Amino acid sequence: MSATPASPASSDSPDSSGAFVPGPGGSVVVFLEPDAGPAGTAAGSGSGVRLRVADPRLPALLVTDQGATRGDGVFETMSAVASAGGPAGVVHGAAAEGLTSHRVRKEASHLARLASSAEALEIPLPPTDAWRRAAAAGLAAFARGMPGADAVVKLVATRGPEGAPGGGHYVRGAADVGSDGELAETTAPGPQVPAQLTGTYWVLVSPVSEGMAAARERGLKVLLLDRGFDSGASERAPWLLMGTKSLSYAVNMAALRFASSQGADDVIFTSSDGKVLEGPTSTVLMARRVPQADGTHGVELVTPLRSSGILAGTSQGTIFAAAAQAGWALGYGPLEPADLFDADAVWLVSSVRLVAPVTHLDGEELPQDADLTEQLNAFLAEDLAPGDHGPNGAG
């Protein structure tokens, strides 16, 4: 017996242009699709990719899509802050109509990491500008339905359905789309179309979960869990895709469920040789207050060693950039669990939950430093370019 798709709720309706507008608490999706139409027409964008704004509750994904059947894809999750009359880069369409615009935090870092992950998986991407336009279109629709609300912006790229041209698999050596989204050269007349875009691409814009803010305010009880690999595994076995943000998140979610069953909120993974790695959805930061010659105390901010196979944190990169300007000492591990227990404060940081203090580790209460937590959130809000501390840095 086939299921009948649910109809959009009465609170969801198209605007005067016919575009989908979500109701209170709703979401909106924008699909990025190959486009061969001429620029300036209804079908053409001139960039080789057209955007389609839609209701995310309606059927859209083929059951053979390898993102669903194999977790074969990549994603990024960004935070968008509502702000009336924001700076360049906000959703200009919404602002033009007098609605609340949004500032996407760390957008360049997220797009760079999306490209890096896609390159590791050999999944071609639409051009970077197309992702920016898709996020702006989704946020414009979101702002019409929920003016003044912050949003979560999720970018997803899958390898596409089995049976797509090339079997849905990217073939090395064929007409290529680089990780920077450059179009392949062609001698055919008319606008260039991205070659090999056999994947499925979308941007989902949703409200921020109330639980995220609550966890940030109360702090986190965290368990240390063995990931099952030593800290050199990523260099020996790059096919494990450690350090990429792929859709294969089943292990991460299983770890969080286990933590919940033990009365904890989150997890910090360790390697089998005893090194601190990362959280399932976050980056680890720790701080030490260091006595100075003049009798004051400086701050040393440390995160785990990236070469141990962890994801380069966009929030960590932005915080480090601001902390460097403030004169803080910075370090990239390697860290062991004892370092966390001895620290003056420990946090899990991520783009949506922001800076969340760790209050307990394996049941042991950790020191809290409200002033440092406030300062780290202020550093994050500065939204500085991470430079060497970003996804392509050497830390």
Side-chain angles (χ1 to χ4, degrees):
M1 181 175 179
S2 61
T4 302
S7 299
S10 58
S11 58
D12 297 320
S13 60
D15 63 10
S16 58
S17 67
F20 172 74
V21 175
S27 303
V28 60
V29 65
V30 182
F31 292 98
L32 295 81
E33 301 170 334
D35 174 23
T41 68
S45 66
S47 69
V49 175
R50 68 169 175 267
L51 308 180
R52 179 168 59 87
V53 181
D55 183 346
R57 298 168 301 175
L58 299 180
L61 195 68
L62 294 176
V63 297
T64 56
D65 193 285
Q66 294 172 91
T69 61
R70 296 173 177 165
D72 196 357
V74 297
F75 76 101
E76 283 292 325
T77 304
M78 309 187 295
S79 175
V81 181
S83 57
V90 300
V91 184
H92 298 291
E97 298 178 15
L99 299 175
T100 302
S101 58
H102 287 80
R103 177 174 60 88
V104 179
R105 301 175 76 168
K106 304 184 278 88
E107 185 176 41
S109 292
H110 283 288
L111 289 170
R113 194 170 66 180
L114 182 74
S116 178
S117 295
E119 183 177 18
L121 272 70
E122 300 187 57
I123 293 177
L125 293 179
T128 296
D129 180 64
W131 288 104
R132 292 183 186 273
R133 290 190 297 110
L139 284 166
F142 181 86
R144 293 185 187 101
M146 284 167 283
D150 294 343
V152 177
V153 182
K154 187 171 185 177
L155 318 178
V156 181
T158 81
R159 196 171 300 279
E162 299 175 34
H169 296 275
Y170 175 59
V171 180
R172 185 185 286 107
D176 194 7
V177 178
S179 61
D180 59 356
E182 292 296 326
L183 303 180
E185 293 185 5
T186 177
T187 57
Q192 291 184 327
V193 179
Q196 295 287 344
L197 284 187
T198 59
T200 308
Y201 312 97
W202 70 88
V203 173
L204 179 67
V205 181
S206 306
V208 178
S209 166
E210 293 181 2
M212 290 290 184
R216 185 167 65 245
E217 293 299 323
R218 71 171 182 269
L220 303 171
K221 296 179 179 179
V222 174
L223 292 184
L224 293 168
L225 295 184
D226 187 348
R227 180 174 264 174
F229 298 100
D230 66 71
S231 57
S234 64
E235 295 183 345
R236 292 196 314 273
W239 52 87
L240 291 176
L241 300 176
M242 300 170 74
T244 66
K245 201 169 179 71
S246 79
L247 291 174
S248 303
Y249 251 50
V251 170
N252 291 15
M253 298 300 101
L256 290 174
R257 289 193 299 272
F258 178 81
S260 179
S261 73
Q262 303 300 306
D265 304 303
D266 214 317
V267 165
I268 292 176
F269 286 123
T270 59
S271 63
S272 59
D273 54 341
K275 300 298 186 288
V276 174
L277 299 175
E278 61 191 343
T281 62
S282 59
T283 305
V284 179
L285 290 184
M286 55 162 277
R288 304 184 185 102
R289 290 193 177 272
V290 182
Q292 305 295 301
D294 61 2
T296 62
H297 282 77
V299 179
E300 180 186 26
L301 194 61
V302 187
T303 196
L305 194 65
R306 284 188 189 171
S307 61
S308 57
I310 65 174
L311 185 70
T314 60
S315 296
Q316 170 263 315
T318 294
I319 289 171
F320 267 41
Q325 287 193 1
W328 289 19
L330 305 175
Y332 286 92
L335 297 175
E336 298 181 353
D339 296 313
L340 301 183
F341 287 107
D342 292 340
D344 289 307
V346 178
W347 303 269
L348 294 182
V349 300
S350 59
S351 293
V352 178
R353 193 169 58 190
L354 307 180
V355 179
V358 176
T359 62
H360 296 77
L361 188 61
D362 278 354
E364 182 175 328
E365 188 171 359
L366 297 185
Q368 301 297 297
D369 194 315
D371 290 339
L372 284 181
T373 299
E374 182 179 0
Q375 185 60 67
L376 292 185
N377 274 307
F379 284 160
L380 188 56
E382 290 183 36
D383 211 9
L384 295 182
D388 291 340
H389 304 293
N392 298 318

